Amino acid sequence: MNTPTSSMPANTMPTGTPDATTAAIEAALVHFNHLVTTTGDAVASIPGSQLLGKYIRNSYQNDPARVVLELFLFFFAVQYLLSKRARPASSPDGKSIELSQREVDELVDEWVPEPLVPGDADPLVLATDAAQLATIPVFAGPTAVKAKVKLMPVAGALGGVPATHAELATVTATTTPAAAAMTTIAQAKVVTVTNLATADVFGFANDDTNKNLAIQALRKYGVGACNPPGFYGTIDVHMQIERELAEFLQVDQAILYAQGFSAVGSAIPAFSKRGDLIVVDDACNFAIQKGVQISRSKLVFFKHNDMHDLEHKLASIEAEDKRLKRPLYRKFLVVEGLYANHGDIAPLPTLLELKNRYKFRLILDETLSFGTLGATGRGLTEHFGVPASSVDLLVGSLGHALASAGGFCAGANAAIEHQRLSASAYVYSAALPPMLAVTASHALAQLRTRPGDLLDPLRGNIRAFRTAVAHAGVFELPSDAISPLQHLRVARDTLPFTFAPLKVEPAPAADEISPKASMLSLFKSSATSAQQQQAAAAAVLRRKTADPEAEMAAEEARFLQEIVQEAAVQGVLVVRAQYNVEQEHKCPRPSIKVFVPALLSRKEVENAAKALRSATGKVLAAWAKARK
């Protein structure tokens, strides 16, 4: 039987045999090696490629997770770039919707822009602000202790804002807020007033020698420094005032900031970072509040000047750290020497004892106490007889007692040198204008050489003012007896009326419109009737559902504002304390702020207090009559 024979040559193998597969793999490997070598040579010819390769190898060896993350981000970016972009809305057939010109015009007409200032566009608030702006005096000369100002005639009882919320709603609804309250500056009456509204308590701003020095510095150095201190902005007069401040405060060094507000607001985040802890008085000024906020540290507030509450919180923090076995972190205690919101002083000896016991660093803001407290004006440390070096960081202002501008920090060498590279306001802001450094240096020299001539009259006038105002029986005096800043708050229990807001008869619900539409109706009186505008204002008033205490505070602030306005008419210039309600941590009760100057005689201070009492009595009688 014949067997079939294969026609394939004896020395050949089928294509799928192992020998053929091995040969194909070897050829592919040779080709791949050639491709890798060629690519490597091409990459190596690129400048910097060796450093990039070394970085990739080290990253893979030391942190493989990072390489995985970077590869993921790279491929995600590529996928995102290659994907289809967002397209406008389309019709069911997939084509883009085309709007006619009429439809576009209708959408534009219906569009209402957001207000430039965040918050409710409340027409009543707009009217109140316009009325208060209209009452702000305009200086017609130097801001001296006896100054000439222009008083604006405005609408409302006693020359102030409308007497009631109902009157305010009516005025707001019938006219624009500005037209309801303001007249032109040409109608203003120029009067001479006793200026109790300036922090220049020693009158350095109007000192003839100071003015001449400023003019000489202006001609020599120009207007501004034009650069940050670390980048050609530091001039010899800057270094001079820093040395003089350090010598005056008896510390190692001082650093100069161009703005007083940013001194403490920049010094705090220069030291305290995320993960650190700041314990701060809940009545601290707005600059401190922004500084601790920028630091992103953990914040703990203690009750104003309550050392028992502070000790309790510090002990709780220490116990929690031990219980959780937390690693070491930085802890700061931030207070003011003389509180801007209350006018009282901090108990520094107790603060030092607590900060040493619980291992905290103390930052003391002496914006108002520098130049006014202590036997020679060195501030709170001198007032209590403790060395300035016991405070970790002193912060002060040149724009209050020294009547210049800018701020400073003073302390140990390490604390000051650290700020020269880490404090944002120092690194990125232009340096203080040289002429202001010169005037600050001259004022500091006056304080250093003749402290008794400046401080003794100041403290005598403070005592005289407090005694005279206390006779009015209307005000509480929360400020310290030696503070040049005196806050006058209403003693509510002594008044023949309460500050409960007067009720307004509601308009029909059908007439209510949205807040934005009501705001527009106030400024587009030609488009709607006065009745519709009045309904809109009343509707906004009904939507205000603030708590009773907030409403009483608003009425109290309006009462004080009328006292301020009437006092100006009677020849005394004072101001009402203003706060950023939306951003402040805790706003105190409304008050009148008074800076008692040293340049007035005792009789002039008593006469100013007498005029303030007279203005208070007149406004008090008007309010009592309106609220019967």
Side-chain angles (χ1 to χ4, degrees):
M1 186 169 160
N2 295 330
T3 59
T5 59
S6 174
S7 60
M8 184 179 296
N11 59 349
T12 61
M13 295 293 293
T15 306
T17 60
D19 292 341
T21 303
T22 303
I25 292 174
E26 291 177 352
L29 289 175
V30 170
H31 179 72
F32 179 75
N33 289 335
H34 176 72
L35 178 63
V36 170
T37 303
T38 304
T39 304
D41 293 340
V43 172
S45 63
I46 301 175
S49 59
Q50 295 181 355
L51 295 177
L52 179 62
K54 183 178 179 180
Y55 164 76
I56 295 175
R57 288 193 300 271
N58 291 339
S59 299
Y60 178 77
Q61 294 173 359
N62 298 333
D63 192 0
R66 179 179 177 182
V67 176
V68 173
L69 177 61
E70 291 179 350
L71 289 175
F72 170 77
L73 294 176
F74 173 76
F75 287 115
F76 175 78
V78 172
Q79 188 272 339
Y80 177 78
L81 293 174
L82 297 178
S83 63
K84 294 182 179 181
R85 300 296 179 91
R87 302 180 61 184
S90 58
S91 58
D93 58 1
K95 297 181 180 180
S96 299
I97 298 176
E98 297 292 338
L99 299 177
S100 65
Q101 186 60 39
R102 179 182 177 181
E103 291 172 329
V104 172
D105 294 339
E106 289 178 352
L107 290 175
V108 171
D109 292 338
E110 294 174 359
W111 176 72
V112 178
E114 292 291 334
L116 294 178
V117 179
D120 290 336
D122 190 335
L124 299 183
V125 174
L126 294 176
T128 305
D129 291 344
Q132 292 179 7
L133 288 174
T135 64
I136 295 178
V138 178
F139 281 91
T143 57
V145 68
K146 291 290 186 179
K148 291 184 177 181
V149 298
K150 295 180 180 180
L151 296 181
M152 306 295 184
V154 293
L158 292 178
V161 295
T164 66
H165 276 293
E167 181 184 344
L168 180 60
T170 303
V171 171
T172 305
T174 54
T175 61
T176 63
M182 284 191 189
T183 57
T184 61
I185 296 180
Q187 296 175 286
K189 178 183 178 182
V190 179
V191 298
T192 301
V193 296
T194 300
N195 187 2
L196 303 184
T198 175
D200 178 21
V201 293
F202 300 123
F204 288 138
N206 290 280
D207 181 71
D208 291 336
T209 304
N210 226 10
K211 292 179 181 179
N212 293 331
L213 289 173
I215 293 173
Q216 294 173 15
L218 179 64
R219 291 172 176 169
K220 180 179 180 180
Y221 299 104
V223 176
C226 302
N227 279 299
F231 190 72
Y232 304 107
T234 298
I235 303 176
D236 55 351
V237 292
H238 295 138
M239 301 173 68
Q240 177 183 345
I241 185 63
E242 287 182 347
R243 288 194 301 269
E244 291 172 351
L245 286 169
E247 293 173 1
F248 182 71
L249 294 173
Q250 300 174 354
V251 295
D252 295 342
Q253 277 194 64
I255 184 173
L256 192 63
Y257 286 85
Q259 302 90 19
F261 184 93
S262 63
V264 67
S266 184
I268 292 174
F271 293 96
S272 185
K273 308 294 183 181
R274 187 189 298 273
D276 296 332
L277 173 68
I278 301 177
V279 179
V280 58
D281 191 300
D282 67 2
C284 277
N285 60 51
F286 192 54
I288 291 178
Q289 294 177 36
K290 301 310 289 184
V292 298
Q293 179 184 357
I294 293 171
S295 71
R296 299 179 295 177
S297 304
K298 180 182 177 182
L299 304 180
V300 176
F301 290 92
F302 67 93
K303 296 178 182 178
H304 174 56
N305 258 357
D306 188 337
M307 295 299 101
H308 294 291
D309 184 59
L310 173 60
E311 183 176 6
H312 171 71
K313 284 184 167 56
L314 297 183
S316 300
I317 292 170
E318 183 182 55
E320 187 177 2
D321 289 344
K322 292 180 179 179
R323 181 176 62 84
L324 299 178
K325 297 181 180 180
R326 288 173 176 161
L328 292 177
Y329 61 93
R330 290 179 291 257
K331 297 180 288 188
F332 297 89
L333 177 59
V334 182
V335 296
E336 288 183 77
L338 176 57
Y339 284 89
N341 291 341
H342 293 273
D344 52 354
I345 63 176
L348 185 59
T350 306
L351 289 168
L352 291 175
E353 192 273 328
L354 291 176
K355 82 106 175 176
N356 291 328
R357 187 198 311 173
Y358 293 100
K359 307 297 188 295
F360 272 70
R361 296 177 175 90
L362 178 62
I363 298 178
L364 179 62
D365 184 359
E366 298 223 58
T367 296
L368 292 173
S369 55
F370 174 74
T372 59
L373 296 185
T376 60
R378 286 180 168 86
L380 193 67
T381 54
E382 186 180 46
H383 173 73
F384 283 106
V386 299
S389 58
S390 61
V391 178
D392 297 282
L393 190 65
L394 292 169
V395 185
S397 171
L398 304 179
H400 289 78
L402 301 188
S404 181
F408 67 89
C409 290
N413 288 321
I416 301 306
E417 292 298 333
H418 176 76
Q419 294 179 67
R420 299 193 189 276
L421 294 178
S422 301
S424 57
Y426 184 85
V427 174
Y428 299 109
S429 297
L432 183 72
M435 63 178 178
L436 295 178
V438 170
T439 57
S441 179
H442 175 261
L444 184 63
Q446 296 296 308
L447 189 62
R448 183 173 58 248
T449 55
R450 54 187 190 96
D453 296 340
L454 298 172
L455 293 171
D456 291 344
L458 174 65
R459 288 160 186 168
N461 287 347
I462 294 171
R463 289 192 297 269
F465 178 82
R466 286 176 58 89
T467 302
V469 170
H471 293 325
V474 178
F475 295 114
E476 298 173 353
L477 300 176
S479 303
D480 196 274
I482 62 173
S483 169
L485 169 61
Q486 295 290 319
H487 281 268
L488 310 181
R489 293 196 170 94
V490 176
R492 294 178 177 177
D493 296 339
T494 65
L495 300 180
F497 56 86
T498 66
F499 286 114
L502 298 181
K503 297 185 179 299
V504 180
E505 291 298 328
D511 293 334
E512 292 191 9
I513 57 178
S514 65
K516 292 181 180 178
S518 65
M519 179 188 70
L520 291 177
S521 67
L522 293 173
F523 294 96
K524 295 181 179 179
S525 57
S526 60
T528 56
S529 65
Q531 291 80 4
Q532 290 174 321
Q533 295 173 14
Q534 185 171 0
V540 175
L541 184 62
R542 290 197 304 276
R543 278 193 296 270
K544 294 178 71 64
T545 56
D547 61 278
E549 183 61 30
E551 293 182 355
M552 291 181 64
E555 290 292 292
E556 187 176 350
R558 203 162 57 83
F559 174 75
L560 293 176
Q561 184 64 31
E562 291 195 12
I563 294 177
V564 168
Q565 295 161 199
E566 181 61 26
V569 173
Q570 298 195 22
V572 178
L573 185 62
V574 292
V575 295
R576 181 171 61 86
Q578 302 283 351
Y579 304 100
N580 191 332
V581 179
E582 294 184 355
Q583 296 190 33
E584 296 257 6
H585 166 70
K586 182 179 180 181
C587 292
R589 279 181 55 201
S591 64
I592 294 176
K593 287 174 61 176
V594 176
F595 282 97
V596 183
L599 298 183
L600 293 176
S601 65
R602 190 73 53 87
K603 187 64 176 178
E604 289 174 321
V605 171
E606 293 174 349
N607 289 338
K610 182 179 179 180
L612 187 58
R613 291 204 316 264
S614 175
T616 302
K618 189 173 181 180
V619 175
L620 185 64
W623 274 61
K625 181 179 179 181
R627 289 171 174 262
K628 283 186 178 179

